[in-house]
Amino acid sequence: MRTKLLSMLVLMAALVVSGPAFAEKLQDDANQLFKPIPYAPPALKDNPMTLDKVELGKMLFFEPRLSKSSLLSCNTCHNLSFGGDDYQETSIGHGWQKGPRNAPTVLNSVFNLAQFWDGRAADLKEQAKGPVQASVEMNSTPDRVVVVLKSMPEYTALFKKAFPGDKDPISFDNMAKAIEAFEATLLTPDSRFDLYLKGDMNALSKDEKKGLELFINKGCADCHAGVNMGGEDYYTFGVVERPDAKIVSGDKGRFAVTNTAADEYVFKSPSLRNIEYTAPYFHSGKVWGLQEAVAVMSSAQLGISLTDSDTKFITAFLKTLTGVQPKVAYPVLPPSTDATPQPEWK
Amino acid sequence: MRTKLLSMLVLMAALVVSGPAFAEKLQDDANQLFKPIPYAPPALKDNPMTLDKVELGKMLFFEPRLSKSSLLSCNTCHNLSFGGDDYQETSIGHGWQKGPRNAPTVLNSVFNLAQFWDGRAADLKEQAKGPVQASVEMNSTPDRVVVVLKSMPEYTALFKKAFPGDKDPISFDNMAKAIEAFEATLLTPDSRFDLYLKGDMNALSKDEKKGLELFINKGCADCHAGVNMGGEDYYTFGVVERPDAKIVSGDKGRFAVTNTAADEYVFKSPSLRNIEYTAPYFHSGKVWGLQEAVAVMSSAQLGISLTDSDTKFITAFLKTLTGVQPKVAYPVLPPSTDATPQPEWK
């Protein structure tokens, strides 16, 4: 009797231990591949961060007068109210023109190896100059931007504070540097997945853990790893099987940057952080449902056909990547003056 | 000698007194006509304010998915970053269409006797329903709005909290009520002029006081008085002399609402609060400079031709009407779901 009781106790103890032991194995595996989003941004290349610069950058991020129409700001397509993008197939810009690619989220973008889907901008300050000038986006020019900013005495004072060493602080380059400094602060820590990585075994449900396991074992993590779960390298869209032409949308990706045949249809793998917010998906924005996006990826990139239940588990896991969204005090911008250029809509 | 000294002292005392006495006279006159913007909003008709309702209203005010394109929100044309309007001649909406009239500021708008330039909406909750449906603005429908809001579980919970008595809290009417509750909080107290009204004799410079005196004595205050310095009644645009046809822009104003000949070219007098922010001016938005706007008003409404220096004094005074802009924490909106309607750009 005693022996029986003892062996039962040993069995029960083993069961109690095996739960956590299993969870810890998955958590160990996950920690080999992924890192939680940190609370503070990394240092920026050639752009030391100061509070003055970040605050100015925030104003510029929300400044519609950087666009020719005075209607569009960085926040129009990278809306901080919902995941740092715009819930559009591809962005709508000046004159209601439709841009060529889906707007990537600005959140955590400082961790990407380069910016834009094709990586043509080395960093956020280079990226920030693109949409301001693109004719289908904000459609302005560096000269116009400088005239706009210099027309408001408050900006003169703020640029002087943010760039204390500069003789002529208001410049297109400094605009971009200030925007980069602000954007680098747009981090979303403490998603449920990050809490799990950091040791809270109950942060994920059983189904979500099953999804994480599949995400690792089926190969998703091969392209979506690191702190941003993506954004670390370039890959062919359709490594195994080219997706539907509607989704590929004729876009040859990084080929346009490198002019190398091997880069045809190659894109930077996007971050999966806050993916619940960033529909529609892919560079073309042609897929609206997250489950469908997971299915497309599994056949195109991995050459496998996931069961419906596995797709659901992975989707459930992906929804645990929504972090705490940045808390932003909406900036008050300076009033225009008689010297401020008027909007142009044509 | 003594008598001379005494009379000199009396004279000096009289001068010392006359300074403040003069200032107090002007301040008294001003307090007869104007009232400072209060710190708290007035009670709303049929719409008791609660923090839950205001917070929901803020989300809806910034919610682009209320528009058919999912790109335009109330804040697009009533941008809280610069004076609660859009720095546009007339607003740009769905499909880059140009609306018929200049967007009035949302700031302090709760104090207007009615809403829109022609007063066709009795209050802010009635007003809020207009642009959401107008084809040149957000181009949505009440049904679409309800489908959008019901597609996101977070909104279901928030409407329940904001409208605890309602069986079906998500409705177009309740959307409008929540937006009204938020908009009623958008007050700009403590402008330099208000500090002067409240007793700080040094809040205005000598030139600004001269401008205030002219503003009262020349007749500007006849249409621009009260807490909002305007928005209290309707007046013919061009009481004495019709302004340039370009400025009138063929718009018959309130006539379209009442169908009464006497209301041809009649508009609600706009609030002059934060006027430094609300260029361009008039219902047509055809005048960009504040000095020019003052000159147009003096000839059209008062039948006088102000000297350049008087125009400058009045303009200087008007710039003291910029109050402390609302401090708004940019809201985090719920993620779309598979049930959320997709944007339509056509």
Side-chain angles (χ1 to χ4, degrees), chain A residues 26-317:
Chain A
L26 179 62
Q27 195 235 20
D28 274 353
D29 289 351
N31 269 307
Q32 297 296 317
L33 293 164
F34 314 110
K35 273 187 198 145
I37 297 281
Y39 294 107
L44 300 173
K45 203 186 150 214
D46 301 328
N47 191 16
M49 273 174 99
T50 62
L51 281 180
D52 286 331
K53 201 187 281 179
V54 169
E55 193 54 34
L56 171 61
K58 183 174 80 170
M59 294 172 74
L60 297 172
F61 185 86
F62 282 99
E63 178 55 90
R65 289 167 294 191
L66 295 186
S67 67
K68 195 179 177 189
S69 67
S70 296
L71 269 171
L72 308 166
S73 69
C74 305
N75 189 65
T76 303
C77 300
H78 301 287
N79 193 327
L80 301 184
S81 272
F82 45 74
D85 81 350
D86 56 4
Y87 190 58
Q88 301 289 322
E89 198 171 275
T90 64
S91 296
I92 302 288
H94 191 88
W96 211 254
Q97 292 173 90
K98 211 164 170 241
R101 289 187 188 139
N102 181 267
T105 177
V106 68
L107 302 179
N108 312 304
S109 58
V110 68
F111 298 118
N112 295 334
L113 89 156
Q115 303 300 328
F116 293 117
W117 278 96
D118 55 15
R120 68 184 183 276
D123 51 29
L124 289 167
K125 61 180 164 295
E126 197 181 324
Q127 189 280 335
K129 297 178 184 177
V132 175
Q133 300 178 80
S135 62
V136 296
E137 299 185 62
M138 295 164 76
N139 198 23
S140 191
T141 62
D143 285 352
R144 191 182 205 277
V145 164
V146 167
V147 170
V148 165
L149 294 172
K150 286 191 174 173
S151 74
M152 293 173 261
E154 206 177 317
Y155 273 127
T156 303
L158 292 169
F159 271 85
K160 209 175 274 179
K161 272 173 78 184
F163 299 96
D166 285 32
K167 271 187 192 161
D168 190 16
I170 293 188
S171 67
F172 195 57
D173 279 354
N174 283 349
M175 171 212 77
K177 282 183 175 175
I179 290 174
E180 175 178 61
F182 170 62
E183 289 181 337
T185 69
L186 299 173
L187 309 182
T188 63
D190 288 348
S191 65
R192 288 197 289 117
F193 177 57
D194 281 3
L195 298 180
Y196 176 75
L197 285 179
K198 290 193 262 186
D200 179 356
M201 296 304 168
N202 299 316
L204 301 190
S205 72
K206 218 181 112 193
D207 284 0
E208 290 159 355
K209 285 181 188 174
K210 179 77 186 153
L212 167 58
E213 217 189 335
L214 289 162
F215 187 84
I216 296 173
N217 294 340
K218 294 289 183 185
C220 313
D222 294 354
C223 304
H224 296 285
V227 64
N228 236 357
M229 311 194 68
E232 293 190 314
D233 211 338
Y234 304 96
Y235 304 93
T236 305
F237 187 62
V239 143
V240 181
E241 177 189 315
R242 181 128 307 149
D244 192 282
K246 192 192 77 176
I247 301 173
V248 176
S249 156
D251 188 333
K252 292 200 176 172
R254 200 162 159 72
F255 174 74
V257 181
T258 63
N259 210 25
T260 305
D263 279 338
E264 278 195 352
Y265 305 104
V266 163
F267 294 89
K268 188 183 70 190
S269 68
S271 167
L272 302 185
R273 293 282 181 186
N274 306 292
I275 192 166
E276 185 181 13
Y277 266 113
T278 59
Y281 303 106
F282 304 124
H283 65 273
S284 59
K286 288 290 183 195
V287 174
W288 286 85
L290 187 48
Q291 269 184 234
E292 190 191 340
V294 170
V296 168
M297 280 288 95
S298 61
S299 60
Q301 304 303 98
L302 306 170
I304 56 175
S305 181
L306 288 174
T307 63
D308 273 6
S309 69
D310 282 358
T311 311
K312 275 179 191 160
F313 288 136
I314 292 177
T315 304
F317 162 65

Side-chain angles (χ1 to χ4, degrees), chain B residues 289-315:
Chain B
L290 187 49
Q291 269 184 234
E292 189 191 343
V294 169
V296 169
M297 280 288 95
S298 62
S299 60
Q301 303 303 99
L302 305 169
I304 57 175
S305 181
L306 288 173
T307 63
D308 272 7
S309 70
D310 282 359
T311 310
K312 276 181 191 158
F313 288 136
I314 292 177
T315 303

Side-chain angles (χ1 to χ4, degrees), chain A residues 62-65 69-72 75-76 79-82 86-90 92-96 98 154 276-277 279 288-291 319 322 325-338 340-346, chain B residues 62-65 69-72 75-76 79-82 86-90 92-96 98 154 276-277 279 288-291 319 322 325-338 340-346:
Chain A
F62 282 99
E63 178 55 90
R65 289 167 294 191
S69 67
S70 296
L71 269 171
L72 308 166
N75 189 65
T76 303
N79 193 327
L80 301 184
S81 272
F82 45 74
D86 56 4
Y87 190 58
Q88 301 289 322
E89 198 171 275
T90 64
I92 302 288
H94 191 88
W96 211 254
K98 211 164 170 241
E154 206 177 317
E276 185 181 13
Y277 266 113
W288 286 85
L290 187 48
Q291 269 184 234
K319 289 189 179 178
T322 304
Q325 303 298 297
K327 281 171 188 52
V328 175
Y330 200 56
V332 174
L333 304 175
S336 302
T337 68
D338 290 343
T340 309
Q342 295 168 15
E344 294 170 74
W345 310 281
K346 297 272 164 78
Chain B
F62 282 99
E63 179 53 90
R65 288 166 295 191
S69 66
S70 295
L71 269 171
L72 308 166
N75 189 66
T76 304
N79 193 327
L80 301 183
S81 272
F82 45 75
D86 57 2
Y87 189 58
Q88 301 289 322
E89 197 171 277
T90 66
I92 302 289
H94 191 88
W96 211 253
K98 216 167 165 232
E154 206 176 320
E276 184 181 14
Y277 266 113
W288 286 86
L290 187 49
Q291 269 184 234
K319 290 190 179 177
T322 304
Q325 303 298 297
K327 280 171 189 53
V328 176
Y330 199 56
V332 174
L333 304 175
S336 304
T337 68
D338 289 344
T340 309
Q342 296 169 13
E344 294 170 76
W345 311 281
K346 295 273 164 76

